[in-house]
Amino acid sequence: MGRGDLVVAVVGATGAVGREMLKTLEQRDFPAKTVRALASARSAGTTVPFKDGELTVEELTEDSFKGIHLALFSAGGATSKKFAPHAVKAGCVVVDNSSAWRMDPAVPLVVPEVNPQDVDWHKGIIANPNCSTIQMVVVLKPLHDAAKIKRVIVSTYQAVSGTGQKAITELETQVRQLFNMQEPEAKVYPYRIAFNCLPQIDVFSTGDYTFEEIKMIKETAKIMGDDEIRVTATTVRVPVFYGHSESVNVETERKLTAAQTRAILVQSPGITVLDNPSEKIYPMPIQAAGEDDVFVGRIREDTTIENGLNLWIVADNIRKGAALNAVQIAELLIERGRLTA
């Protein structure tokens, strides 16, 4: 059998990311003979769109992976922890979108534009990084190669779709309630998100950093393959449906001018530079929504330190921040001969 004989499963196919995974497989003409949709028992029997028709959702069980070569997981950490080992035992390669395996030293954490070689040492599971980390490291990698990054300070402005469909619905509902002079109900987030910003993503942990902030700190070092890069993060949820934005301050060992930085990034894979302040050209979430690339602009030197840069980075968190990166990992596995039927 060849690459066109691959059987692929999307686990969590009814969720926002799962649906985007199916859409991405279709749009990129991924060489699968069969694509199957798996989800919880309550979703079994429903349908999800794929190509010119629909897929009937099957119940996810421990025995679901017989005959499946690749499984793209996006069903939460608990589901991944329970079912990914069964998939691997059945001979299936798992690309997991949850946080369950990201910091496991035996599991590669991969962004194809940054560390493609890491797929070569997988033992059945490859982790898809956090959405906010992915878009940042795509931009940081070529700068690190050129001038060695010493320190990163990042503040994020993250869309509600990062929390899932319930959060999207909550923002829509709260906007309607406010315009109708009603008190908005907050169920998904601790406070209302409509016309507000919440400086908390995930729960608080050591040193009053949230888990989202800790993910960005730890994942960046693992993906970049450099524990000496110091990262600090503040992650904020904002009332935007799709597209995470990040203000990133970078300190490098060697000097990079703004012009040199633009020239490097223009030539780097997966990046679109939108940076012309005189014409009010800079990246915004509405431009990134539905797009594959990571967008970067507001490129300027930080004059408070010797070798500093300020960057504004935007990407579709559901697309590049989740579904697309997972499919790109799958494509990389085929390209490097690590996935065959």
Side-chain angles (χ1 to χ4, degrees):
M1 290 189 291
R3 49 182 266 162
D5 296 303
L6 291 170
V7 178
V8 177
V10 173
V11 178
T14 57
V17 174
R19 288 173 181 268
E20 190 68 22
M21 284 175 170
L22 290 169
K23 181 180 174 183
T24 306
L25 289 168
E26 176 185 345
Q27 290 176 339
R28 295 177 73 86
D29 196 24
F30 189 82
K33 179 180 71 173
T34 305
V35 175
R36 293 170 57 186
L38 304 176
S40 64
R42 68 177 180 273
S43 297
T46 62
T47 60
V48 288
F50 185 66
K51 294 190 174 179
D52 295 327
E54 295 178 325
L55 298 176
T56 300
V57 177
E58 306 169 47
E59 180 182 354
L60 174 64
T61 70
E62 294 175 359
D63 300 319
S64 291
F65 300 97
K66 184 178 180 181
I68 293 176
H69 305 105
L70 169 72
L72 305 179
F73 272 64
S74 188
T79 298
S80 294
K81 278 289 190 183
K82 179 178 179 180
F83 290 100
H86 292 287
V88 174
K89 189 176 180 181
C92 177
V93 177
V94 171
V95 179
D96 180 53
N97 193 55
S98 79
S99 61
W101 306 98
R102 289 176 186 158
M103 297 315 299
D104 187 324
V107 175
L109 182 66
V110 175
V111 177
E113 295 90 343
V114 178
N115 58 333
Q117 70 283 353
D118 282 359
V119 301
D120 293 342
W121 54 269
H122 82 81
K123 297 177 178 63
I125 300 173
I126 299 172
N128 211 32
N130 186 43
C131 48
S132 50
T133 306
I134 289 173
Q135 66 186 70
M136 183 172 74
V137 296
V138 167
V139 175
L140 293 185
K141 179 60 164 62
L143 303 182
H144 187 56
D145 289 345
K148 190 168 177 54
I149 292 172
K150 294 170 59 178
R151 185 172 186 236
V152 177
I153 304 169
V154 54
S155 298
T156 72
Y157 307 76
Q158 295 180 223
V160 296
S161 53
T163 311
Q165 186 58 49
K166 288 182 179 179
I168 295 170
T169 302
E170 178 152 295
L171 175 55
E172 291 174 340
T173 301
Q174 287 179 356
V175 170
R176 291 195 193 96
Q177 288 170 331
L178 286 164
F179 274 109
N180 284 286
M181 307 301 288
Q182 298 170 350
E183 185 65 28
E185 296 179 275
K187 297 178 181 177
V188 176
Y189 298 119
Y191 302 97
R192 102 175 194 220
I193 185 62
F195 309 106
N196 197 17
C197 295
L198 305 180
Q200 176 192 353
I201 299 179
D202 213 323
V203 298
F204 287 99
S205 183
T206 307
D208 289 337
Y209 280 79
T210 68
F211 274 122
E212 184 81 359
E213 292 157 354
I214 293 168
K215 287 175 197 172
M216 293 195 74
I217 293 165
K218 291 184 175 181
E219 289 178 21
T220 298
K222 183 174 180 179
I223 297 164
M224 300 279 283
D226 191 341
D227 289 331
E228 292 184 0
I229 300 175
R230 293 171 294 165
V231 181
T232 188
T234 301
T235 57
V236 182
R237 190 72 67 189
V238 297
V240 170
F241 287 111
Y242 296 97
H244 289 353
S245 303
E246 298 172 348
S247 173
V248 181
N249 179 271
V250 178
E251 182 181 1
T252 57
E253 281 193 1
R254 295 179 291 280
K255 175 72 174 178
L256 282 178
T257 66
Q260 289 171 330
T261 302
R262 289 187 198 95
I264 290 167
L265 295 177
V266 163
Q267 298 175 29
S268 300
I271 295 173
T272 294
V273 175
L274 294 177
D275 191 41
N276 188 346
S278 65
E279 299 294 329
K280 299 183 179 63
I281 294 173
Y282 36 71
M284 295 177 288
I286 55 173
Q287 295 162 311
E291 298 295 326
D292 288 351
D293 273 5
V294 173
F295 295 80
V296 60
R298 296 299 319 278
I299 300 166
R300 60 206 189 279
E301 293 168 39
D302 177 358
T303 57
T304 67
I305 54 176
E306 188 174 349
N307 299 328
L309 293 167
N310 287 306
L311 309 163
W312 176 251
I313 301 170
V314 181
D316 186 327
N317 55 297
I318 299 296
R319 187 78 175 179
K320 179 55 183 171
L324 173 63
N325 200 75
V327 174
Q328 286 177 308
I329 290 171
E331 293 170 342
L332 194 58
L333 286 166
I334 295 172
E335 178 187 320
R336 298 177 75 92
R338 301 292 295 168
L339 179 66
T340 55

